[in-house]
Structures are given as C-alpha cells and as structure tokens.
Amino acid sequence: MTDLSAFPITKKWPAEHPDRIQLYSLPTPNGVKVSIMLEETGLPYEPHLVRFDTNDQMTPEFLSLSPNNKIPAIIDPNGPDGKPLPLFESGAILLYLADKSGQLIPQNAAGRYEAIQWVMFQMGGIGPMFGQVGFFHKFAGKEYEDKRPRDRYIGEAKRLLGVLDRQLEGRDWILGDAYSVADIATFPWVRNLIGFYEAGDLVGIQDFSNVTRVLAAFVARPAVAKGLDIPKRPS
Ligand SMILES: N[C@@H](CCC(=O)N[C@@H](CS)C(=O)NCC(=O)O)C(=O)O
C-alpha cells in the first residue's frame, strides 16, 4: 500500500486511493488543463477540491506542495524511480503526464520540442495576458479610471490570438494532425476569455476563425467535457 503521509497536504486532503495520482485543483483554465489531460490519457487519479472562497490555497498544507499558492498541483505516488513525485505549475505537470503516459506529445525529438514550444507560448503569453484582460475587463480593474492597462492587455490578447490563428491555418490542431498537450494547455484559456471573461467582442474573436474552429473541436471531445467539471465545485 502506497504511503503518502510524508506529504503534509494529505492531512487536509486525505488520499482515499493513495496509489492514484493525487490532483489538487479547481475547474479554472489552469486547473482544467490537468483534469483534461488525466481524462485524455486514462491515468488513474483522485481529484481534491481546493476552494478559493475559504482561501484553501493559502493554508500551510497546500503551500507545502505548491509554494506559489496556485492550483493545480499533483503528487504522483509512482513517480521516477518508483518514488512519489510532487509537482506544481500546470505546464510542468502536462509535460510530465505526457511523458509518463507516452501520449499527447510527439515521440521524436523535434516534434517533442515543437510541443514544448507551444506549451511555453501558452504559459508565458496566453495565460498571463488573457488573465490580465479578465482582471481589467471583468473584475476589480474594471473600476480603474486609467484605461491604458486594459487597452494594453486587450492589444496583447489580440496579437497572441493572431499568432495562434496563423499557426492553425490549414491545421486540425496546433501541431498539425495530432492533438497534443499544446492544445490542452491553450484552449481552456481561449474558452475562458470568450466565456467567463465575456471578452470575445472586445478582442474581435470573429476575426480569428481558425481559433474558433479548433476551440469547437476541442470542447466537443468527451474527455474535455468531463475534465472541465473536475473537481466538482460545491453546489
Ligand atoms: N503558472 C501557474 C498559474 C496557476 C494559476 O494562476 N492558478 C490560479 C487559478 S487559475 C490560482 O491558483 N489562483 C489562486 C491565487 O492566486 O491565490 C500554472 O499554470 O500552474
């Protein structure tokens, strides 16, 4: 029987199935990347809900695994050399799970780096910039009198959507024919920008027809539909 008691996070979120990958998350655009990846690969896992309304992400137990106080984070009880592996940062987790499962990342070196490149593009560009659009358009930043920060992030979001749209021209997915971790990293954020942030018109989403086409194919995948709702939010 696997013993995860050395990880303080398991005191607050006990593992019912310690032999499965433990996922600590909430269905946000960064959180669902990992639940979608786990659903797509079929790796057994146990989800745990980290609630922001009760500041779970600031508790010592959560910080012991994710010192940047952000979801998602995982513990793989059966990591490299058979030892438990704790991981935070969604991009690192996606790449780890792709390697572990041998799925959703090209197996040749050049293809592998191409996938990593687009995961990095999402992590360093799309996620942070779209997140700022949300802050300045929908949340507290909406009240700021000075609209220059808002306009700056909208401009950046449009520019990034243009880069993605050109990459998707004539392709089914970011890497071409093969669906990959790059799509799983990216499309939850595009969906969120249009849906939850209600910024579709603001960024002129209709001008990016390749992006909307691939987004529709992404959300139609059964594993995506499932992963988008894991862990379940309290009703
Ligand atoms: N670069 C991180 C970002 C994660 C992130 O921003 N998570 C947000 C939810 S989408 C969070 O946990 N926020 C809680 C907080 O800031 O207190 C990743 O991709 O894992």
Side-chain angles (χ1 to χ4, degrees):
M1 176 88 161
T2 316
D3 181 12
L4 294 179
S5 62
F7 294 91
I9 194 162
T10 63
K11 304 279 182 292
K12 189 168 167 66
W13 289 273
E16 247 180 71
H17 303 282
D19 50 325
R20 301 183 189 169
I21 293 172
Q22 303 292 301
L23 168 66
Y24 306 91
S25 189
L26 186 72
T28 69
N30 287 317
V32 299
K33 291 178 200 170
V34 177
S35 41
I36 290 170
M37 182 70 182
L38 288 161
E39 288 296 328
E40 292 281 9
T41 56
L43 289 167
Y45 71 105
E46 179 178 352
H48 301 278
L49 181 73
V50 178
R51 297 178 62 149
F52 291 170
D53 58 342
T54 49
N55 267 336
D56 281 354
Q57 78 278 23
M58 296 300 187
T59 58
E61 292 91 342
F62 185 76
L63 293 170
S64 69
L65 179 60
S66 183
N68 194 29
N69 62 265
K70 308 258 184 220
I71 59 97
I74 65 165
I75 303 172
D76 180 0
N78 190 19
D81 305 320
K83 294 195 190 117
L85 180 77
L87 264 189
F88 65 95
E89 279 296 326
S90 61
I93 297 171
L94 286 182
L95 294 170
Y96 172 70
L97 296 175
D99 283 347
K100 181 180 173 85
S101 64
Q103 297 178 52
L104 299 169
I105 192 157
Q107 296 301 306
N108 66 84
R112 182 179 155 75
Y113 283 111
E114 194 189 353
I116 293 173
Q117 156 189 283
W118 287 103
V119 170
M120 296 294 165
F121 170 77
Q122 184 283 312
M123 294 296 295
I126 286 190
M129 295 301 118
F130 288 14
Q132 295 299 330
V133 171
F135 177 81
F136 285 102
H137 171 59
K138 179 144 183 200
F139 302 113
K142 197 165 93 171
E143 309 305 330
Y144 294 8
E145 236 171 75
D146 187 345
K147 297 300 174 203
R148 285 175 296 182
R150 188 197 75 148
D151 293 347
R152 155 102 182 136
Y153 292 118
I154 292 169
E156 267 301 276
K158 281 186 183 168
R159 193 185 63 74
L160 292 162
L161 284 165
V163 174
L164 184 60
D165 202 68
R166 288 189 290 280
Q167 174 65 14
L168 292 169
E169 181 67 39
R171 292 164 180 252
D172 289 342
W173 301 105
I174 292 176
L175 298 187
D177 295 342
Y179 173 67
S180 74
V181 274
D183 304 294
I184 296 175
T186 304
F187 285 99
W189 270 103
V190 177
R191 175 179 175 272
N192 197 67
L193 182 74
I194 302 171
F196 187 51
Y197 290 171
E198 300 172 20
D201 287 344
L202 209 61
V203 297
I205 196 70
Q206 68 286 346
D207 297 339
F208 305 106
S209 58
N210 293 314
V211 172
T212 52
R213 167 180 55 83
V214 180
L215 173 64
F218 179 73
V219 296
R221 295 180 69 88
V224 171
K226 209 165 163 209
L228 283 172
D229 199 27
I230 295 176
K232 274 224 168 311
R233 286 180 187 271
S235 42

